[in-house]
Amino acid sequence: MARNRLNKEWKEVQRNPDPDILLELDGDSFEQWRAVINGPQESPYEGGRFQLKILCSASYPYAAPQVSFETKVFHPNVNFNTGELCVDILKTDWSPAWTLQYVCRAVVSLLRDPNADSPLNCDAGNLLRSGDLRGFNSMARMYTIEHAMS
Amino acid sequence: MAPAACLNFASMMGQGSSFLVTLSKPQQTPSGFSIRYNDEVLLVTRVWEDTPMDTWNREHPTRQVVYGSHVISVNGKRNIPEMIIALQESCNIRMEVARSLETELLDEMISRDRKMWNPLVEEVFNSLPERHCNCCKNTSCAVCLEDFDDEMVLQLPCKHAFHRDCISVWLLNRSTRCPLCNQVVDDSHWSWLGQRVTGCGSSAVYMALSWFVMV
């Protein structure tokens, strides 16, 4: 199932690419994918290109893919060291009707709308929760320039 | 301040500041929220969009009914079965609601039920109807992404359809919800199983259950 379905997704991505998402196979198997997403406009990530690593197990699409950032990003829902990210649709709210492209779009939305209530990066979460938007934006911007715009 | 007022304030605080909600709606129209209850509490789990309840929330931002809101009384009734009947049958609902501190209890009720009800009971899965794909809402299977091709497919109560083999893995192993709209596939099995459990005389199991209704 996983292979046929991913093959289908692969063809669909080639037919209808999303201008903000480059999604491609990483290697020969359908297990590992690589995505490059554009930081959303009017966010501190604008202009940055962020690489994601996507792993699909044999139980995909019944089990969610594992997604992590390869590019360092300062964001409350992304672990700064490991790149692990916390987003409902990859955990409890996963549905097999989601595709890898949808998942990438959800990650772009997460960059646009951080959720400070369940932080994996406490520093980023605390800045947002204390209302220091300026502090948060400048930290996120600095790391975007340093790691995602080279 | 008069002693009576103090007393009143204290009792309100005891209920986590209750407030009044009034809904008027045509007969047979649902109010638009889901509740979960056991013998002791009735808690709101979801408010559906474009319903009388949703409209109330938009018009009364300080008195919103949300996930975890605790319904204390309905039309003067404080006994839970009577409250549910009033919610289901009355056109004019007057609810006393508390901004609840009990969301932890609610989360626990839900996770306990998930453990008990997830995955879908096989009898319920087997009772789902097969339909010709032309009669269904969607034209392809959202699990394998293949278009339907003049074939029989399994239809869920929300009218979304899937290949039997594709959806069975999901519903029998992972979740009781439709992959497309997230609607719970079958609510009736809650009461069906509840009856079965009470029929066995196992009151301990029965007491552990909480119940789920949309009103």
Side-chain angles (χ1 to χ4, degrees), chain A residues 16-79:
Chain A
N16 282 318
D18 184 312
D20 287 323
I21 297 162
L22 176 72
L23 182 60
E24 52 191 15
L25 284 171
D26 190 1
D28 299 332
S29 77
F30 280 100
E31 272 168 39
Q32 193 163 325
W33 296 61
R34 189 175 43 220
V36 181
I37 58 174
N38 291 342
Q41 288 180 355
E42 287 166 38
S43 78
Y45 310 101
E46 183 172 359
R49 290 171 62 73
F50 299 87
Q51 189 169 323
L52 303 173
K53 185 166 89 175
I54 304 175
L55 293 173
C56 298
S57 72
S59 354
Y60 182 85
Y62 301 110
Q66 281 180 44
V67 182
S68 55
F69 273 91
E70 297 273 273
T71 309
K72 281 248 179 281
V73 54
F74 185 82
H75 185 285
N77 310 111
V78 182
N79 183 311

Side-chain angles (χ1 to χ4, degrees), chain A residues 1 5 8 62 94-97, chain B residues 142-143 145-146 166 169-170 179:
Chain A
M1 166 61 114
R5 150 98 187 215
K8 220 151 162 91
Y62 301 110
W94 171 253
S95 153
Chain B
V143 176
L145 305 181
E146 300 285 347
C166 293
V169 179
W170 178 248

Side-chain angles (χ1 to χ4, degrees), chain A residues 1 4-5 8-9 59 61-64 92-99, chain B residues 114 142-147 165-170 174 178-180 182:
Chain A
M1 166 61 114
N4 287 344
R5 150 98 187 215
K8 220 151 162 91
E9 286 193 40
S59 354
Y62 301 110
T92 48
D93 292 348
W94 171 253
S95 153
W98 289 84
T99 62
Chain B
R114 281 219 175 117
V143 176
C144 66
L145 305 181
E146 300 285 347
D147 290 336
D165 290 347
C166 293
I167 195 68
S168 70
V169 179
W170 178 248
R174 300 271 174 174
C178 170
L180 282 169
N182 211 27

Side-chain angles (χ1 to χ4, degrees), chain B residues 170-183:
Chain B
W170 178 248
L171 291 178
L172 294 174
N173 296 290
R174 300 271 174 174
S175 170
T176 56
R177 292 173 180 276
C178 170
L180 282 169
C181 65
N182 211 27
Q183 188 176 316

Side-chain angles (χ1 to χ4, degrees), chain B residues 20-185:
Chain B
L20 204 65
V21 174
T22 51
L23 294 177
S24 293
K25 60 190 181 62
Q27 192 90 41
Q28 305 294 338
T29 305
S31 305
F33 59 103
S34 301
I35 50 175
R36 202 171 268 269
Y37 61 99
N38 60 19
D39 291 346
E40 287 149 21
V41 288
L42 193 161
L43 299 168
V44 174
T45 52
R46 178 157 184 187
V47 175
W48 301 86
E49 282 176 16
D50 299 324
T51 59
M53 193 73 252
D54 187 33
T55 309
W56 165 275
N57 281 349
R58 271 184 274 126
E59 289 169 0
H60 303 84
T62 57
R63 287 189 282 165
Q64 287 188 339
V65 174
V66 294
Y67 178 89
S69 291
H70 177 184
V71 181
I72 299 164
S73 74
V74 180
N75 296 354
K77 309 251 187 319
R78 288 175 174 270
N79 154 311
I80 286 179
E82 286 181 343
M83 279 159 61
I84 290 160
I85 292 170
L87 285 172
Q88 286 174 327
E89 294 179 356
S90 178
C91 297
N92 294 300
I93 290 171
R94 209 177 135 83
M95 286 196 296
E96 194 186 342
V97 178
R99 182 97 59 235
S100 180
L101 302 172
E102 293 175 278
T103 47
E104 275 175 33
L105 171 65
L106 181 58
D107 288 341
E108 195 204 308
M109 276 159 98
I110 290 175
S111 76
R112 194 170 52 203
D113 292 338
R114 281 219 175 117
K115 274 184 210 139
M116 297 188 72
W117 302 114
N118 231 356
L120 196 64
V121 192
E122 212 164 319
E123 284 94 329
V124 175
F125 181 79
N126 290 337
S127 72
L128 293 171
E130 285 209 340
R131 298 259 185 274
H132 191 271
C133 59
N134 292 350
C135 317
C136 302
K137 249 186 192 172
N138 43 323
T139 56
S140 64
C141 174
V143 176
C144 66
L145 305 181
E146 300 285 347
D147 290 336
F148 294 139
D149 178 24
D150 192 28
E151 59 195 318
M152 296 299 282
V153 291
L154 204 71
Q155 193 185 48
L156 307 189
C158 54
K159 309 284 184 215
H160 287 124
F162 304 86
H163 292 124
R164 173 181 276 275
D165 290 347
C166 293
I167 195 68
S168 70
V169 179
W170 178 248
L171 291 178
L172 294 174
N173 296 290
R174 300 271 174 174
S175 170
T176 56
R177 292 173 180 276
C178 170
L180 282 169
C181 65
N182 211 27
Q183 188 176 316
V184 175
V185 165

